[in-house]
């Protein structure tokens, strides 16, 4: 398991929370960005700088993410790409993108993009505050806990192994 962060537009509060979480849970974390980002001195935390250009960080994340990884991004096309290859995606506001919901989110994003191009929709998402940070933290913790539980399959537990033995 690895956490990848689309870091150029990721809120500072989310990055700080991810640094603490990676350290506490022992999960590798890589921020991918067009410019160097200061990260704590840790063997678990890294910053990968990609060349400037449209979607360069997104492309690199898609190349590197594997099934079972988590990608932190507000970019719905990037989320769709990584979900399609078996990874999970979580936006900084705490919405987990899954196979079940990513198609609808992508269609909604494309519609809003079209409406915005015709000046029918203006503005963007609201501000990022304590409520959004807490929702993100809760969803991240839920995802990490569920993923850790899935790694310990019942056949791997000592009780399950003991059940299969003959005790006569």
């Amino acid at each position: 398991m690895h956490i990848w962060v689309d870091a150029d537009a990721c809120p500072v509060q989310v990055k700080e929370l991810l640094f603490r979480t990676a350290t506490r849970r022992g999960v590798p974390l890589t921020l991918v960005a067009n410019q160097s980002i200061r990260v704590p001195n840790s063997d678990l935390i890294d910053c990968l700088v990609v060349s400037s250009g449209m979607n360069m960080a997104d492309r690199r994340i898609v190349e590197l993410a594997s099934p079972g990884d988590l990608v932190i991004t507000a970019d719905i096309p990037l989320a769709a790409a990584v979900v399609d290859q078996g990874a999970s995606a979580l936006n900084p506001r705490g919405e987990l993108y899954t196979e079940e919901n990513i198609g609808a989110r992508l269609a909604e994003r494309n519609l809003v993009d079209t409406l915005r191009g015709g000046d029918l929709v203006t503005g963007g998402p609201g501000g990022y505050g304590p409520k959004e940070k807490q929702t993100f933290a809760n969803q991240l913790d839920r995802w990490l806990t569920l993923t850790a539980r899935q790694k310990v399959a019942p056949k791997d537990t000592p009780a399950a192994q003991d059940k299969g033995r003959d005790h006569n």
Side-chain angles (χ1 to χ4, degrees), residues 161-168:
Q161 291 171 353
D162 195 42
K163 252 185 180 178
R165 293 188 183 130
D166 187 7
H167 293 286
N168 291 337

Side-chain angles (χ1 to χ4, degrees), residues 12-73:
V12 171
Q13 303 97 311
V14 170
K15 290 176 201 166
E16 291 170 353
L17 186 132
L18 288 167
F19 296 152
R20 289 190 303 272
T21 301
T23 301
R24 188 178 71 247
R25 294 233 188 182
V27 177
L29 171 72
T30 302
L31 284 76
V32 182
N34 293 335
Q35 60 188 354
S36 184
I37 295 176
R38 218 156 119 113
V39 298
N41 187 14
S42 168
D43 291 338
L44 293 169
I45 303 170
D46 191 24
C47 179
L48 176 61
V49 179
V50 297
S51 60
S52 295
M54 189 72 149
N55 299 320
M56 294 305 288
D58 297 0
R59 289 182 193 150
R60 190 69 177 133
I61 290 170
V62 170
E63 290 172 4
L64 295 170
S66 299
D69 287 353
L70 178 64
V71 174
I72 309 300
T73 185

Side-chain angles (χ1 to χ4, degrees), residues 77-144:
L78 171 57
V82 298
V83 166
D84 189 47
Q85 64 189 43
S88 297
L90 176 63
N91 80 17
R93 295 177 179 274
E95 182 177 7
L96 184 65
Y97 299 115
T98 64
E99 289 178 356
E100 291 77 27
N101 71 12
I102 194 62
R105 296 298 180 274
L106 191 55
E108 180 183 331
R109 179 251 184 216
N110 291 340
L111 174 63
V112 169
D113 202 40
T114 300
L115 295 173
R116 192 173 283 129
D119 291 330
L120 297 172
V121 172
T122 58
Y128 193 87
K131 179 183 173 197
E132 291 79 14
K133 180 183 173 186
Q134 188 61 53
T135 303
F136 173 80
N138 291 342
Q139 188 65 265
L140 176 64
D141 186 60
R142 206 171 301 130
W143 187 90
L144 288 167

Side-chain angles (χ1 to χ4, degrees), residues 149-162:
R149 281 188 194 144
Q150 289 173 345
K151 283 188 173 190
V152 180
K155 65 180 172 64
D156 295 336
T157 63
Q161 291 171 353
D162 195 42

